[in-house]
Amino acid sequence: MSSMLSSALRNLPVSSAWAAGALARSLSCSSQFQAAVQPKTKKTLGKTGVKNVVVVEGVRIPFLQSGTSYADLMPHDLARAALQGLLTRTSVPRDVVDYIVYGTVIQEVKTSNVAREAALGAGFSDKTPAHTVTMACISSNQAMTTGVGMIAAGQCDVVVAGGVELMSDVPIRHSRKMRKTLLTLNRAKTLGQKLSLISKIRPDYFAPELPAVAEFSTSETMGHSADRLAAAFGVSRLEQDEYALRSHTLAKKAQDEGLLQDVVPFKVPGKDTVTKDNGIRPSSMEQMGKLKPAFVKPYGTVTAANSSFLTDGASAMLIMSEEKALAMGYKPKAYLRDFVYVSQDPKDQLLLGPTYATPKVLEKAGLSLSDIDVFEFHEAFAGQILANLKAMDSDWFAQNYMGRKSKVGALPLDKFNTWGGSLSLGHPFGATGCRLVITAAHRLKKEGGQYGLVAACAAGGQGHAMIVELYPQ
């Protein structure tokens, strides 16, 4: 992987030998930390006059492939289950929570403020305010940082942040012509007026508007963008398949070893209790190689095997001021430190958010790449994540696109997504950010690190990065 990362922009893809070595290093690295290791001593990122904000706990219900066990539910059902799992795990009194923020992308029209509906369903006080945010795949990141801001500003002491997505049942609308006709029909007063409107309905009015994971500004799907991005950075189909296999293999290992501690069981009404993610499926290079391109046909390199799949799931995180957490007898898991949001051209750089956000958050925190012990990056597509890694290790890209004199640097694979990622664990759009942060906290404790860097891309050409600091053990 190191040789691949150091290759210049648009160079020919390097040998696939990096994958075997990287996978072996990642697997051996995981086995080295079967017991918690004492973290290295580094400076703390606390600032004078600024409240320390901590993560007390984070949970998620299992992430499932859409169309499986959650298919008959609604988004607030999943969010409620995550909230109840958080309450059970922490025993935090409901009336102590000052505010609830949830992220989501594809909203259910009946519960547009899903945070409020889920909170009421989970038994929180009707006096506890709640609102919902949307920022594509970084929606729960936005929910978390909104909570951080409220606590840092002294508005709250205890915030629950989370995210939810139910891709099994997305809104499908009538055509605009049919909607206008039905709304006008609803206002018609006489039978004659109603019959006149009905007589104008034509067969094409019944054609539905189907949702698509596409950019409004460009009409291009994220898969097409990922294919173009992979081509621009010389990421081959072989490299993408190898990386996807790495993600699934590491996720399966983490699941088998009980490392995915954030997962809480969910008794699905009328069905069995779900206890684990169901999208983790290590395959073989031979099987993956048989799949045809999913977006750019017939020559594209992005396939169903090296892309994150449509996923249902929800997450929840208990965030407090350090002072409040200690007063209530909690031992926090981590500090939430500096964070940044970035935005760039949604046409050519839709999925390069991590590349732009990573150096900015490091500079803001006064850290270097070598200070980071744990990297947790969102994997939308294998081609996307590998293109970001190549972009960060390219002087040419740094100088011509990022306004930097030199590259960000090569990210070490033995610290990178070693418990799997969105390609294998699943990607409920609005819920992924919380998974990234709590996984970083758990890995820091397990592996004896101090600083984690969480980063993610989002539709609209946006991105997010945050520094997570292990709480003193």
Side-chain angles (χ1 to χ4, degrees):
M1 184 66 182
S2 59
S3 61
M4 184 198 74
L5 291 175
S6 61
S7 63
L9 183 68
R10 296 181 184 276
N11 274 4
L12 291 175
V14 300
S15 167
S16 64
W18 71 266
L23 180 58
R25 288 195 300 274
S26 298
L27 292 174
S28 63
C29 176
S30 174
S31 64
Q32 291 171 10
F33 299 111
Q34 295 303 309
V37 182
Q38 289 300 313
K40 295 172 284 185
T41 301
K42 300 178 184 177
K43 66 178 181 179
T44 181
L45 297 182
K47 296 181 176 69
T48 303
V50 178
K51 280 190 175 183
N52 285 324
V53 181
V54 298
V55 174
V56 172
E57 185 61 271
V59 304
R60 62 184 177 91
I61 60 173
F63 288 176
L64 303 186
Q65 291 184 330
S66 298
T68 56
S69 294
Y70 299 157
D72 296 330
L73 303 179
M74 292 179 65
H76 73 285
D77 294 319
L78 306 188
R80 180 182 66 234
L83 289 172
Q84 290 171 333
L86 184 66
L87 291 170
T88 299
R89 178 76 64 88
T90 63
S91 299
V92 64
R94 289 172 172 83
D95 57 1
V96 169
V97 176
D98 299 311
Y99 209 97
I100 298 172
V101 194
Y102 251 73
T104 196
V105 177
I106 301 180
Q107 295 187 345
E108 163 60 55
V109 293
K110 292 182 179 179
T111 56
S112 57
N113 187 3
V114 69
R116 177 65 169 170
E117 303 305 331
L120 293 174
F124 284 91
S125 168
D126 57 11
K127 303 297 189 292
T128 303
H131 79 269
T132 302
V133 297
T134 186
M135 202 173 181
C137 299
I138 52 176
S139 293
S140 65
N141 306 64
Q142 183 58 253
M144 282 186 288
T145 57
T146 297
V148 169
M150 297 174 90
I151 294 171
Q155 296 295 312
C156 301
D157 282 319
V158 182
V159 174
V160 170
V164 63
E165 215 68 54
L166 183 71
M167 297 300 294
S168 288
D169 183 26
V170 297
I172 298 175
R173 304 197 300 179
H174 278 296
S175 67
R176 190 177 185 89
K177 289 184 288 187
M178 177 61 91
R179 297 200 306 270
K180 289 177 68 176
T181 300
L182 292 176
L183 290 171
T184 305
L185 185 63
N186 191 50
R187 295 192 296 269
K189 296 181 179 180
T190 67
L191 178 62
Q193 291 174 332
K194 293 179 180 180
L195 291 175
S196 175
L197 286 167
I198 293 173
S199 69
K200 296 177 181 178
I201 295 176
R202 297 292 179 265
D204 66 318
Y205 282 32
F206 293 96
E209 288 184 0
L210 299 175
V213 185
E215 291 296 299
F216 179 80
S217 59
T218 66
S219 298
E220 186 176 65
T221 67
M222 291 182 70
H224 277 87
S225 296
D227 237 324
R228 288 197 302 103
L229 188 66
F233 283 88
V235 181
S236 69
R237 164 75 180 270
L238 181 62
E239 288 172 330
Q240 293 174 61
D241 286 353
E242 286 171 336
Y243 184 86
L245 180 58
R246 172 189 187 268
S247 182
H248 280 272
T249 302
L250 292 175
K252 183 67 167 66
K253 181 177 175 60
Q255 187 180 69
D256 291 346
E257 294 180 357
L259 299 179
L260 306 181
Q261 304 164 43
D262 56 331
V263 179
V264 293
F266 175 28
K267 175 63 174 73
V268 180
K271 298 182 181 179
D272 295 334
T273 298
V274 180
T275 60
K276 61 182 182 180
D277 309 316
N278 72 357
I280 303 174
R281 297 178 180 179
S283 182
S284 67
M285 291 298 295
E286 291 73 24
Q287 289 297 113
M288 297 170 72
K290 294 178 182 178
L291 296 185
K292 296 181 179 180
F295 300 98
V296 179
K297 302 174 182 180
Y299 302 114
T301 57
V302 175
T303 71
N306 56 42
S307 307
S308 59
F309 46 87
L310 296 179
T311 314
D312 303 332
S315 56
M317 183 174 287
L318 181 59
I319 305 171
M320 294 186 180
S321 64
E322 181 183 23
E323 186 178 36
K324 183 69 172 181
L326 296 179
M328 293 186 66
Y330 288 112
K331 177 65 179 295
K333 290 181 179 289
Y335 293 107
L336 296 181
R337 296 302 195 189
D338 293 284
F339 61 87
V340 298
Y341 289 92
V342 296
S343 193
Q344 52 276 341
D345 177 17
K347 177 66 175 178
D348 292 323
Q349 302 186 50
L350 177 71
L351 304 173
L352 285 177
T355 296
Y356 286 89
T358 294
K360 288 188 176 182
V361 80
L362 288 172
E363 290 164 8
K364 190 174 182 181
L367 299 175
S368 65
L369 208 58
S370 61
D371 289 319
I372 303 302
D373 304 298
V374 161
F375 293 91
E376 281 293 326
F377 277 37
H378 164 44
E379 302 169 347
F381 303 88
Q384 161 262 328
I385 201 73
L386 292 175
N388 273 273
L389 295 179
K390 283 192 172 186
M392 279 188 269
D393 200 30
S394 167
D395 283 316
W396 187 92
F397 187 82
Q399 293 163 8
N400 288 274
Y401 283 88
M402 300 179 68
R404 295 173 57 87
K405 293 182 180 180
S406 61
K407 62 188 180 183
V408 180
L411 273 60
L413 258 247
D414 59 352
K415 298 180 180 179
F416 191 87
N417 290 14
T418 58
W419 291 0
S422 304
L423 291 173
S424 49
L425 299 171
H427 174 40
F429 299 154
T432 290
C434 287
R435 179 192 67 77
L436 295 172
V437 168
I438 199 63
T439 300
H442 287 160
R443 282 186 56 202
L444 286 171
K445 182 178 180 181
K446 183 76 172 173
E447 299 171 11
Q450 184 168 348
Y451 298 132
L453 196 158
V454 170
C457 63
Q462 303 188 102
H464 170 258
M466 173 185 278
I467 299 295
V468 178
E469 181 181 347
L470 181 71
Y471 197 79
Q473 300 302 296

